[in-house]
DNA sequence: GGTGAAATATGTAATTG
DNA sequence: CAATTACATATTTCACC
């Protein structure tokens, strides 16, 4: 990973739909050279995918929350692969501290959130922080 | 937003670099029709951008954490726009509950994390949950 | 990593249902 | 009025230097 790779990473994080041609202009390299470097970053797993970022409110999911779950030993959220497939679960982290995991969830309405908390309650003690606003929904990673 | 828009959203969330041509094949529509629908989703703000997803560990940022900050009234993280520009801060949420905000942060090494916590300490009482693993780093949004 | 030619994809305008 | 077709332009992908 040299400086050129880092520039390509920055460009593709800012706009994943840039053409190899446009990228080649921005980093002053030929298009095939850029395409090969990007393919290498993908093959090495540095680039994990390319995703359209959807505005949750405009997509009909105005209610978001961070939910910590303090699981009951064996019956843990992290031990049930089904939880990761629930459509409400946008992110799931295993963490240190009182809780064993934190989930970022999004739902269309409160009734659905209540139902989700009930479901999570089967795995452990959920503790909810409703998200009031998201000053930084996402930020490009700058490799050191 | 009809069923076709939702299918396009799903495809572009799974792979933001799909060509209009390929998208048109997948949803059985002509390429110009697809391009116009995608442009409308962008103009309406439903699609907020397209981002390459970078593997933090492979990009040299193996240490990640969720940090809650219980701010000191006036000197709040949310009132200082500079915090949102710190490269360590990947996500920032304003939340209900004891803390006023939660930050997802990533750093190359512990020394840097210690320094970050010190900086955050200037705004309020930070409470850290180190991230042990990320079973779900990201998940496509399914509009209701 | 660069160059050039063939295959593919994109954007625009006219046209249809 | 949104989708399709047709065509000009731009991009991607090879083979080769």
């Amino acid at each position: 990973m040299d400086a050129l790779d880092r520039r390509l990473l920055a460009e593709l994080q800012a706009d994943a739909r840039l053409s190899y041609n446009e990228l080649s202009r921005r980093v002053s390299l030929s298009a095939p050279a850029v395409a090969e470097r990007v393919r290498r970053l993908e093959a090495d797993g540095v680039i994990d995918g390319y995703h359209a970022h959807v505005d949750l409110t405009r997509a009909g999911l105005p209610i978001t929350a961070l939910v910590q779950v303090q699981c009951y030993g064996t019956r843990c959220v992290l031990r049930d692969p089904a939880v990761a497939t629930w459509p409400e679960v946008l992110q799931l982290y295993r963490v240190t501290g009182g809780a064993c995991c934190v989930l970022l969830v999004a739902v269309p309405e409160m009734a659905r959130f209540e139902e989700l908390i009930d479901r999570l309650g089967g795995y452990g003690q959920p503790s909810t922080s409703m998200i009031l606003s998201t000053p930084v929904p996402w930020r490009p990673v700058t490799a050191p």
Side-chain angles (χ1 to χ4, degrees), chain A:
Chain A
M1 269 250 300
D2 59 8
L4 224 42
D5 285 330
R6 277 188 286 274
R7 283 183 65 190
L8 289 171
L9 270 188
E11 295 288 352
L12 285 171
Q13 285 185 94
D15 184 0
R17 282 181 74 76
L18 286 173
S19 68
Y20 291 132
N21 233 314
E22 178 58 28
L23 280 172
S24 77
R25 280 190 287 267
R26 296 193 183 189
V27 305
S28 309
L29 214 68
S30 72
V34 164
E36 199 194 325
R37 274 173 179 267
V38 172
R39 270 190 286 270
R40 221 200 56 222
L41 287 167
E42 292 167 0
D44 292 352
V46 179
I47 294 177
D48 204 47
Y50 302 95
H51 309 300
H53 185 267
V54 170
D55 181 299
L56 295 174
T57 300
R58 288 189 217 255
L61 298 164
I63 297 168
T64 50
L66 286 164
V67 184
Q68 298 180 45
V69 185
Q70 199 167 341
C71 291
Y72 307 135
T74 54
R75 203 192 196 76
C76 178
V77 165
L78 297 165
R79 299 223 186 151
D80 183 357
V83 177
T85 71
W86 295 358
E88 298 93 347
V89 178
L90 266 31
Q91 297 174 23
L92 169 58
Y93 300 99
R94 170 129 105 111
V95 295
T96 63
C100 65
C101 61
V102 177
L103 301 94
L104 173 69
V105 300
V107 291
E109 51 184 14
M110 266 302 170
R112 186 75 173 275
F113 186 68
E114 185 177 6
E115 186 258 304
L116 174 64
I117 291 296
D118 287 343
R119 245 184 298 154
L120 284 170
Y123 296 89
Q125 186 66 41
S127 166
T128 297
S129 296
M130 298 304 304
I131 294 172
L132 297 168
S133 63
T134 305
V136 182
W138 176 88
R139 184 153 223 295
V141 168
T142 47

